Amino acid sequence: MPISPRVLVTGGAGFIGSSVVRHLLEDPQVEVLNFDALTYAANLQSLQSCEANPRYRFQRGNICNPEALREVFSSFRPSHVLHLAAESHVDRSLHGPQAFIETNVMGTGILLQEARDYFQNLPTAEQESFRFLHVSTDEVFGSLGAEGFFQPDTPYDPSSPYSASKAASDHLVRAWGRSFGLPVLVSNCSNNYGPCQFPEKLIPLMITNAFEGKKLPVYGKGENIRDWLYVEDHARALWTIARHGQVGKTYLIGGEEEHTNLDVVQTICSILDAIAPHPDISNRCDLIEFVTDRPGHDFRYAIDSSATREELGWKPAESFETGLKKTIRWYLDNPDWLESVRSGAYRQWMEENYAWR
Ligand code: NAD
Ligand code: TYD
């Protein structure tokens, strides 16, 4: 009889992790344990729809804490680990790289070691179905010029402390696969956008600032290009890879939606002007301000995900146009989520509600 999946999601209170948790719980066979340290980037309000689900549980904890991980592995007995916990913002990594080294490199190493100990003591049947999926970024490959696409065998060439720390973690994961037989898979995906993204990243920052009539800071000339992927398409890809991907393999996930940053910001402005006109600003593009460029700013990211699409039958459901409209609508409809993230009130709420766990 097939074993019902028991999925340990690290970083499940973050932007992509919360989408993954919601997606997993749609399957009535799946049980989920969300293990998250609740850093500034987490928001448990993103998981309110899951709170009452008996197949969902939350455990506050840090992936740098081996004892906490050991307890989770032995009590929850996962069949799958989806590892998303990370420090994820490039600009923060330029100001304070240490946290990125601690969580992304050290934390991943500690998690791998605990997963290995757990895996080695599993009965054979459970070892056969156990999978560890490491969720990474296309930024590990560095910058593209105007032509070409990242492939699974593109050499690593990270530019920022963030991407360097993710590159290190990817290498650790592959090493634990090769040296210790841990059944690992790695996915590298392009820029995500969608509901519940902390408003420090380009798209939610521009939506919230433009809505409120604040300045829209575009780095350099806004010519840098990103390949945009709707977060729910990514969540679906991850669970497909974890269940059906080949052990030891790397899967690239992209939206095939390349846009310059300026194009993204202008599109956000025109959608908002149409659906939520500002009382004093007729054209929100007037709010765009070109500011000093980010140091080491990668020019272009673009992914060739054809191998993933062909092997696993996955493809994105949203175009950039439909996904962006949904995302803008979500931010307009959820001012409470935004307010809680900004004010820090949710952090106090979490302390009061989860301190005992
Ligand atoms: P996020 O910053 O929104 O969320 C990260 C989550 O990890 C938070 O809930 C945080 O509390 C948790 N966390 C951080 N440090 C932790 C620790 N030491 N122990 C336990 N939990 C910890 O990030 P995201 O955008 O959802 O990204 C999730 C993963 O996907 C990351 O590994 C990131 O590198 C990768 N990724 C993100 C993107 C993107 O566009 N956002 C693109 C490619 C890959
Ligand atoms: P970001 O959302 O930080 O993602 P990443 O750096 O991981 O790609 O930034 C996306 C692009 O938008 C990137 O080229 C930097 C640019 N950007 C701005 O121009 N202004 C901003 O305020 C931010 C946050 C980003």
Side-chain angles (χ1 to χ4, degrees):
M1 202 162 80
I3 306 163
S4 293
R6 300 172 63 76
V7 189
L8 171 58
V9 179
T10 71
F15 163 50
I16 301 172
S18 61
S19 181
V20 167
V21 170
R22 292 191 300 269
H23 175 67
L24 289 169
L25 290 172
E26 284 170 16
D27 181 340
Q29 299 298 316
V30 176
E31 292 201 30
V32 178
L33 193 152
N34 170 12
F35 184 84
D36 195 298
L38 302 181
T39 69
Y40 80 95
N43 190 343
L44 289 173
Q45 285 194 23
S46 309
L47 292 162
Q48 258 173 1
S49 62
C50 309
E51 285 286 329
N53 192 321
R55 292 179 289 106
Y56 170 72
R57 67 185 94 158
F58 171 72
Q59 169 84 43
R60 186 175 189 177
N62 194 312
I63 57 165
C64 297
N65 180 344
E67 289 82 23
L69 287 171
R70 208 164 304 149
E71 197 281 316
V72 160
F73 274 108
S74 70
S75 61
F76 183 63
R77 299 187 65 79
S79 59
H80 297 75
V81 178
L82 303 189
H83 176 36
L84 293 101
E87 289 292 337
S88 70
H89 189 39
V90 173
D91 291 335
R92 280 181 188 255
S93 81
L94 296 167
H95 293 290
Q98 197 56 35
F100 289 71
I101 297 166
E102 277 160 24
T103 286
N104 301 0
V105 186
M106 299 298 293
T108 299
I110 291 164
L111 176 64
L112 282 165
Q113 195 60 1
E114 293 307 319
R116 174 193 171 198
D117 282 352
Y118 166 74
F119 172 75
Q120 284 177 341
N121 290 308
L122 282 178
T124 311
E126 289 175 43
Q127 278 189 341
E128 277 165 14
S129 53
F130 183 82
R131 297 289 181 271
F132 183 110
L133 171 59
H134 174 61
V135 179
S136 191
T137 168
D138 60 357
E139 302 192 23
V140 297
F141 301 123
S143 185
L144 289 167
E147 303 286 318
F149 297 90
F150 297 132
Q151 306 287 345
D153 61 355
T154 299
Y156 276 35
D157 188 19
S159 303
S160 70
Y162 163 66
S163 52
S165 69
K166 290 298 288 187
S169 67
D170 293 10
H171 291 316
L172 289 175
V173 171
R174 293 195 183 99
W176 258 247
R178 289 182 207 159
S179 298
F180 306 124
L182 191 68
V184 298
L185 304 99
V186 175
S187 64
N188 298 88
C189 79
S190 61
N191 285 62
N192 283 220
Y193 68 102
C196 304
Q197 186 170 29
F198 194 83
E200 64 184 352
K201 305 270 169 74
L202 179 72
I203 288 184
L205 181 74
M206 296 299 157
I207 294 172
T208 52
N209 276 13
F211 177 68
E212 291 165 4
K214 294 183 185 158
K215 293 282 181 206
L216 307 175
V218 172
Y219 299 161
K221 295 180 180 163
E223 289 169 344
N224 301 62
I225 294 168
R226 298 292 182 263
D227 169 6
W228 292 98
L229 175 67
Y230 191 65
V231 67
E232 289 174 13
D233 285 327
H234 185 203
R236 201 162 37 80
L238 292 177
W239 188 221
T240 305
I241 292 167
R243 277 174 305 162
H244 305 299
Q246 292 173 45
V247 168
K249 211 167 156 174
T250 293
Y251 291 87
L252 299 194
I253 315 167
E256 287 183 15
E257 282 283 7
E258 287 185 55
H259 299 275
T260 66
N261 294 337
L262 188 56
D263 176 35
V264 169
V265 178
Q266 287 172 335
T267 308
I268 290 170
C269 289
S270 59
I271 294 173
L272 276 173
D273 285 344
I275 66 172
H278 193 281
D280 307 318
I281 304 155
S282 60
N283 180 2
R284 285 181 167 96
C285 285
D286 294 343
L287 298 167
I288 292 172
E289 199 171 69
F290 294 99
V291 299
T292 309
D293 208 352
R294 172 191 279 173
H297 195 176
D298 288 333
F299 173 62
R300 173 172 168 257
Y301 303 141
I303 274 189
D304 176 2
S305 57
S306 56
T308 305
R309 291 177 187 225
E310 281 158 28
E311 184 185 321
L312 299 175
W314 168 87
K315 63 175 187 195
E318 300 293 342
S319 67
F320 188 61
E321 196 190 342
T322 60
L324 191 59
K325 282 186 178 150
K326 276 189 180 179
T327 305
I328 292 174
R329 188 76 262 162
W330 187 87
Y331 278 92
L332 296 187
D333 290 345
N334 289 277
D336 294 352
W337 184 94
L338 193 63
E339 178 51 29
S340 68
V341 168
R342 281 175 165 173
S343 67
Y346 81 103
R347 252 171 261 147
Q348 192 185 339
W349 177 85
M350 288 188 302
E351 293 299 335
E352 286 164 10
N353 286 278
Y354 289 96
W356 55 272
R357 295 198 189 199

